[in-house]
Amino acid sequence: MSNESAKTARAEWGTRFGFLMAMIGAMVGVGNIWRFPFVTGENGGGAFILAFLILLFLIMIPGLIAEVALGRYAGKGVIGSIREATGSGTAVGLGLIVIIVNIALMSYYSPVIGWTLYYMLHSFMFTFTGAEFEAGAFLGDLFADPLTMFALHTVVMGLIAAILYLGITKGVERVVVYAVPALVIALAAIAIRALTLPGASEGLAFTFNVEWEFLLMASTWQEALAQALFSTGLGWGIAITVGSYLREYDDVPLGGGVFTAVGEASIGVLAAFAIFPLVFAFGVDPATGAGLTFEALPQVFMEMSAGGLWAIVFFTGFFLAAITSGLVITEVGVTTVAEETRLSRGKAVLAVCGLIWLIGIPSAYSPDILEFGDDTFALWGLPLATIAILIAVGWFMGPEKLRVLSVNQNSGIYVGRWWNVAVKYVVPVVMAAIMVAFAIDFYGADIMIAGMVVIVLVPIVSFAVMKYVEGNREAPTTAEPTGGDD
Amino acid sequence: MSEVLTAETWIGMGVAVVMFWGVASWAMIRTFRQEEKKISIVEDQRRIDTYSPNALEDLREWIHSRPDDPDVEVAREQYNECVDVLKSADHRFYDWSDDEVESLERL
């Protein structure tokens, strides 16, 4: 809470709506569109939804509240916020862990955004309804063209840099307040069209049929946990950063916790009503997974009446879902670099976007490298970063202190002491269990070895760097370690 | 469509819509209404009560239990600010009764 002059000079969300859309825009990404409906259908439908909801309220909402509240309490980016929680010193490396994971994740997410941009542009050229169009060959040609992939990655990072350069309210907020509602409208329009197709009910039955016996299977809960973790954006540093721009009288738990977690999952439910009826109506295999969006759906649009227009609606929405996530993910690094160095915001934007662009070149060049990076950082990097944040809040700062000073200040709902237990014990233990489960699943595989390297190397590098940096800080802007409270 | 869908599928869809879109809509409407009320109070009297009765009680307990914490002064300021507003303001954001406000004292 120190450094008040810097805090008051800081940007703020112009509206409550802007804050909420930034949170939703960041969390809703490619996975919500295809993964949620598919995983739901594969794991007992309604039974999976129940398991997912329980985990959402038990783990994800408390975790999100912790991150947003820490950001609001500190009024700083990730490293500054972690420093407020741990005090100056080596432990600030917990924040650098989050930044490293965030930048690594964004480096391969940028090429994926590039693919959505490519498909959106082609939808406007009515490529998918052309007589010669063949979906598999189209995607294969794109992947076999490194120059185009590199150009798309470059354009995406250039676009993100241009928007972020404008700042929080004039850049990020101005985009998300239009893009997120546009995404919802696009999906709703497709849902209405899809539900009127013959055979659509097969898709609904696949996703929503309740098979209660699945609640007794460990795999259902593991899948629900993985879905909840990867879709709610815990550990990316997004919630800390977005929360740090909250206004004085804004609430944390209702908007930053409940609305964000349930709202972003609602997009997945909407996608279930939009995509799977469409997929089943045209006899496409729902198990296509991520390829569903880039390989299977273009075939569907080809067969639909006015399919060219529906392709525009879908791929525009899909691009918006991807680019809003990319914007806010990148803002995490920009905010932190601008605060922790002497760079201006403009130079910080250039530095962070340039770094992500550089690291992302191999992923843009090869989808195999991209997939390997995704498996490594999504499976081990994200839980590691989440644990890093929660160690700072739960074990250095103490959750009760954050709860009384930030979570419940100006809050729209009262958060009781149960939250302390969730943040200090439940969420970190669950995250650690997830990493162990993945290690067992991939035991001996390259991904597992790479994951272990991430788990060991990223913290070592982070703590070493921050030990040096903190030791050379001219004027610490925060108090010394505050200690835990329970 | 309905001939293919079983009662359980309808239940699954209903639960999904209510629990996700229902809860998300409730949260969004509630937070916007609260925002409206906050703006109205701030515009009217420039200050607003920042804690609910339960939350202020928790804050008071924490201040008493952590007298040596580096942030205890900040906490005390937040507590006293809320008490001052509650005692002086005509409109309150949270559901405080007059008796509850009467019993509050600065720390």
Side-chain angles (χ1 to χ4, degrees):
Chain A
M1 299 294 282
S2 57
N3 203 7
E4 286 298 318
S5 60
K7 200 172 139 185
T8 49
R10 215 162 180 272
E12 291 178 337
W13 299 109
T15 62
R16 181 79 180 150
F17 187 66
F19 160 69
L20 296 176
M21 291 304 102
M23 289 293 280
I24 293 288
M27 307 310 181
V28 173
V30 177
N32 292 68
I33 309 293
W34 68 268
R35 194 173 188 277
F36 180 81
F38 176 69
V39 174
T40 302
E42 285 282 277
N43 292 281
F48 176 86
I49 287 173
L50 191 62
F52 180 75
L53 262 171
I54 290 170
L55 295 173
L56 212 57
F57 279 88
L58 195 69
I59 294 167
M60 300 308 148
I61 290 176
L64 278 174
I65 290 172
E67 290 195 22
V68 179
L70 179 62
R72 201 266 289 273
Y73 165 79
K76 297 190 177 87
V78 171
I79 290 181
S81 291
I82 296 292
R83 187 181 293 113
E84 286 287 342
T86 63
S88 295
T90 309
V92 183
L94 292 167
L96 190 56
I97 291 173
V98 180
I99 294 295
I100 290 173
V101 170
N102 172 286
I103 287 177
L105 288 161
M106 186 58 204
S107 73
Y108 65 76
Y109 194 56
S110 168
V112 176
I113 302 171
W115 305 350
T116 67
L117 173 64
Y118 185 74
Y119 272 67
M120 183 185 75
L121 294 175
H122 273 279
S123 72
F124 279 99
M125 293 188 276
F126 295 99
T127 305
F128 306 123
T129 45
E132 303 284 303
F133 179 73
E134 208 281 296
F138 183 78
L139 186 62
D141 288 347
L142 172 63
F143 286 174
D145 183 359
L147 199 63
T148 303
M149 301 265 276
F150 174 76
L152 287 167
H153 170 55
T154 306
V155 168
V156 165
M157 285 319 300
L159 187 61
I160 286 174
I163 295 169
L164 292 184
Y165 186 81
L166 295 173
I168 290 295
T169 44
K170 289 180 181 169
V172 179
E173 185 168 359
R174 201 172 275 177
V175 171
V176 294
V177 295
Y178 293 109
V180 176
L183 164 67
V184 174
I185 291 167
L187 278 176
I190 292 170
I192 291 168
R193 178 69 188 99
L195 292 172
T196 58
L197 291 168
S201 52
E202 300 285 343
L204 293 177
F206 171 79
T207 306
F208 293 108
N209 191 35
V210 185
E211 297 171 77
W212 295 112
E213 64 272 19
F214 274 82
L215 279 179
L216 301 175
M217 298 179 190
S219 60
T220 305
W221 292 90
Q222 195 182 346
E223 284 289 353
L225 198 55
Q227 177 65 28
L229 172 65
F230 297 135
S231 66
T232 46
L234 272 184
W236 296 73
I238 293 169
I240 290 179
T241 306
V242 173
S244 74
Y245 293 109
L246 274 172
R247 297 168 303 175
E248 185 182 359
Y249 292 123
D250 271 329
D251 135 280
V252 167
L254 185 59
V258 177
F259 175 76
T260 301
V262 182
E264 73 83 31
S266 300
I267 307 281
V269 171
L270 182 58
F273 282 103
I275 308 302
F276 274 58
L278 210 60
V279 163
F280 275 79
F282 289 97
V284 174
D285 180 9
T288 318
L292 181 74
T293 325
F294 295 108
E295 276 189 87
L297 280 178
Q299 289 174 309
V300 170
F301 294 126
M302 202 163 61
E303 295 176 43
M304 282 173 77
S305 60
L309 294 176
W310 288 111
I312 291 174
V313 173
F314 175 77
F315 283 112
T316 302
F318 199 46
F319 171 70
L320 292 175
I323 192 78
T324 49
S325 297
L327 267 178
V328 189
I329 293 168
T330 311
E331 178 60 45
V332 172
V334 170
T335 295
T336 294
V337 168
E339 285 174 357
E340 297 296 322
T341 67
R342 292 177 183 174
L343 295 178
S344 64
R345 179 177 171 90
K347 286 177 181 167
V349 168
L350 284 176
V352 172
C353 292
L355 180 65
I356 291 170
W357 173 79
L358 196 66
I359 301 172
I361 289 174
S363 295
Y365 176 75
S366 163
D368 291 335
I369 295 174
L370 187 153
E371 196 179 340
F372 188 77
D374 182 30
D375 287 340
T376 306
F377 278 94
L379 297 184
W380 284 283
L382 268 184
L384 175 71
T386 307
I387 289 173
I389 294 170
L390 293 175
I391 285 176
V393 172
W395 294 86
F396 279 90
M397 181 182 197
E400 178 67 1
K401 179 172 170 176
L402 189 63
R403 190 179 74 89
V404 299
L405 287 180
S406 181
V407 172
N408 278 331
Q409 188 189 32
N410 298 304
S411 69
I413 47 172
Y414 171 72
V415 175
R417 289 193 170 88
W418 60 268
W419 180 81
N420 300 347
V421 179
V423 167
K424 189 166 185 175
Y425 301 105
V426 179
V427 187
V429 167
V430 168
M431 291 298 149
I434 283 184
M435 288 197 283
V436 171
F438 285 138
I440 292 168
D441 285 349
F442 295 100
Y443 185 75
D446 288 348
I447 293 171
M448 186 251 185
I449 295 165
M452 294 306 110
V453 170
V454 167
I455 287 175
V456 174
L457 217 56
V458 171
I460 289 174
V461 169
S462 299
F463 290 129
V465 169
M466 290 319 293
K467 184 178 182 183
Y468 175 79
V469 170
E470 293 293 292
N472 289 284
R473 275 167 67 83
E474 287 172 5
T477 58
T478 180
E480 288 309 300
T482 54
D485 57 40
D486 49 3
Chain B
M1 181 186 293
S2 56
E3 70 273 8
V4 186
L5 300 179
T6 63
E8 285 204 323
T9 307
W10 281 106
I11 290 170
M13 284 193 287
V15 168
V17 169
V18 170
M19 292 306 294
F20 288 99
W21 280 91
V23 173
S25 301
W26 166 81
M28 194 168 74
I29 291 167
R30 184 178 163 94
T31 197
F32 285 148
R33 283 192 178 157
Q34 288 180 342
E35 169 80 352
E36 213 171 296
K37 188 176 174 185
K38 280 179 185 174
I39 289 171
S40 159
I41 293 174
V42 170
E43 280 177 353
D44 191 41
Q45 58 195 29
R46 302 182 67 182
R47 298 205 301 175
I48 190 169
D49 47 317
T50 47
Y51 283 93
S52 67
N54 283 339
L56 196 67
E57 174 61 18
D58 290 347
L59 180 62
R60 191 184 64 79
E61 281 178 21
W62 184 82
I63 291 167
H64 284 307
S65 66
R66 309 287 298 183
D68 299 327
D69 191 283
D71 277 333
V72 76
E73 273 312 309
V74 174
R76 196 171 281 123
E77 277 172 29
Q78 288 185 196
Y79 183 92
N80 288 338
E81 184 198 347
C82 186
V83 170
D84 289 346
V85 172
L86 284 167
K87 286 186 178 291
S88 63
D90 295 328
H91 303 290
R92 294 165 192 151
F93 177 71
Y94 292 105
D95 291 330
W96 286 91
S97 69
D98 289 341
D99 288 343
E100 284 173 326
V101 173
E102 198 66 32
S103 66
L104 290 172
E105 286 188 12
R106 287 172 61 90
L107 294 176

